[in-house]
Amino acid sequence: MIADNADFALDNPADAQHLTFEGQQYLAFTGHDDDGITLFRVDSTSARVEWVDTLFDGDAVDGAGAPPRLLDGANQMDVHRVGDQVFLGVTGINDNGFTLFELDLAPPPETNPPIL
């Protein structure tokens, strides 16, 4: 079992999505009360879960003048592909909008050990 902590946005998870990319499986969750999203990788051999990344509404956005993330009240999400790119669209119901993220599905760094 995986519980919410400071690294994960899992407080009141409102949506979950499963995706497979290049044979690798991932699980994405919205954390409505954490105002964020968390992505996990599921090892194809051992079924162990590894944390990939979490993005919160209040996190700094890369690039000067970049638009803010609209993840306040992260609620629903959808995964879609365009060619070799994978995108995750997430609604922020308290921001009255949505944010589209391009997912980097490279293996997580060694600093993110398996958690389950």
Side-chain angles (χ1 to χ4, degrees):
M1 296 177 53
I2 300 171
D4 188 37
N5 63 34
D7 292 324
F8 305 154
L10 296 175
D11 190 3
N12 192 10
D15 196 9
Q17 292 285 325
H18 171 265
L19 64 138
T20 302
F21 182 73
E22 296 182 355
Q24 184 59 63
Q25 296 183 59
Y26 296 86
L27 297 170
F29 298 90
T30 59
H32 179 274
D33 293 347
D34 277 333
D35 303 325
I37 57 173
T38 301
L39 183 67
F40 297 96
R41 184 175 80 86
V42 181
D43 186 272
S44 299
T45 304
S46 67
R48 291 187 67 125
V49 176
E50 298 176 353
W51 172 55
V52 175
D53 203 0
T54 299
L55 298 173
F56 293 101
D57 186 57
D59 287 347
V61 178
D62 295 336
R69 294 186 180 128
L70 301 177
L71 294 176
D72 189 8
N75 194 32
Q76 299 294 307
M77 66 180 148
D78 192 33
V79 177
H80 66 278
R81 297 173 193 232
V82 177
D84 289 339
Q85 297 171 299
V86 179
F87 295 91
L88 180 66
V90 183
T91 62
I93 62 172
N94 297 330
D95 279 327
N96 299 313
F98 74 94
T99 303
L100 187 63
F101 297 96
E102 181 178 356
L103 298 180
D104 176 5
L105 298 178
E110 293 299 321
T111 58
N112 294 354
I115 55 175
L116 183 67

